[in-house]
Amino acid sequence: MKSFAIGEESPAKEPAEELREAEEPEEQLPDLPLIVETRTDVGRVRASNQDTLIEGERLWGVADGMGGHNGGETASKGARDALIEALRDLEPSPEALRAGIEEANARLFQQQKEDASLAGMGTTLTALWLSDHFVYIGHVGDSRAYLVRDGRMRQMTSDHSLVAELFRMGQLTREQAANHPMRNVITRAVGTEAGIEADLIVEERRKGDLWLVCSDGLYGMVEDDRIEAALTAHTPAKAADLLMDMALKAGGRDNVSLVVLLDREGGQ
């Protein structure tokens, strides 16, 4: 569950080299231009799964809900449904994606105004929307999008969280940020206010690009170098299974959701 601003011992480390050892032969990749694997799990601690996978027309992502009782699940599923509906039959563009997120925000905000039991609900939202030539990333909150290109992984989104902001201002070291007791407090969420400021990122598609979108239930339990090793050493299906397994074995303190997308065609 998320906490919204105005949130733990470090997970056991496993040498990245171990992740590169394929004990069994990798399965053959299907002959498809896009190979997408999605996974979600309640984890080992939470009573319910407030994460929601977003799967639409050339649209994939994760929403991580927050709110008491059923508020978080209502928010994440509502954001998914509103975004998919808003983008249906549209040509991918940053403007359309921004408008879709704004529509999802307006619907959730109105819903909690009308239902007192949903007061305070909200959700992160990080989604990839693919056109023929570009990947458009819409981002609110602290779920993340990563890109693996030429064997190297980089984080494409910036966390909208209290700890991330303190780190960017130089008030926390990377190690302090990773172990801060308020690292789950987010500063932006879909549905909590009448207006929403979403980050929009545009990346040119390239053949062989590998994308990961995930909730903090993954990256909060598994270090980036281990995530990178799993993604670069295995097929999308095996990598998705391995990442989920690592998050759960590290404690599974939150819901875990992820999308692994291999772009085998690149820009056309």
Side-chain angles (χ1 to χ4, degrees), residues 75 78-83 86 98-110 125 190-191 196:
R80 173 201 62 193
D81 295 344
L83 184 65
R98 185 185 303 277
I101 294 173
E102 290 173 350
E103 173 64 19
N105 182 78
R107 289 193 190 186
L108 292 185
F109 186 67
Q110 182 63 31
L125 190 156
V190 178
I196 185 70

Side-chain angles (χ1 to χ4, degrees), residues 183-199:
R183 62 186 178 276
N184 290 329
V185 177
I186 61 175
T187 54
R188 286 192 223 173
V190 178
T192 57
E193 299 180 20
I196 185 70
E197 181 182 356
D199 291 350

Side-chain angles (χ1 to χ4, degrees), residues 201-264:
I201 302 148
V202 180
E203 183 68 25
E204 185 178 5
R205 288 180 61 187
R206 292 191 189 175
K207 186 175 182 178
D209 280 352
L210 185 65
W211 291 88
L212 169 68
V213 184
C214 64
S215 62
D216 63 339
L218 174 62
Y219 72 77
M221 304 302 300
V222 183
E223 298 86 349
D224 278 5
D225 62 341
R226 298 172 68 225
I227 292 174
E228 180 180 20
L231 291 170
T232 56
H234 301 288
T235 64
K238 182 69 176 290
D241 288 339
L242 184 57
L243 290 172
M244 179 63 73
D245 187 59
M246 288 192 293
L248 296 177
K249 285 184 175 177
R253 291 193 295 267
D254 203 348
N255 308 145
V256 187
S257 295
L258 60 98
V259 177
V260 178
L261 183 154
L262 174 60
D263 190 346
R264 302 184 76 195

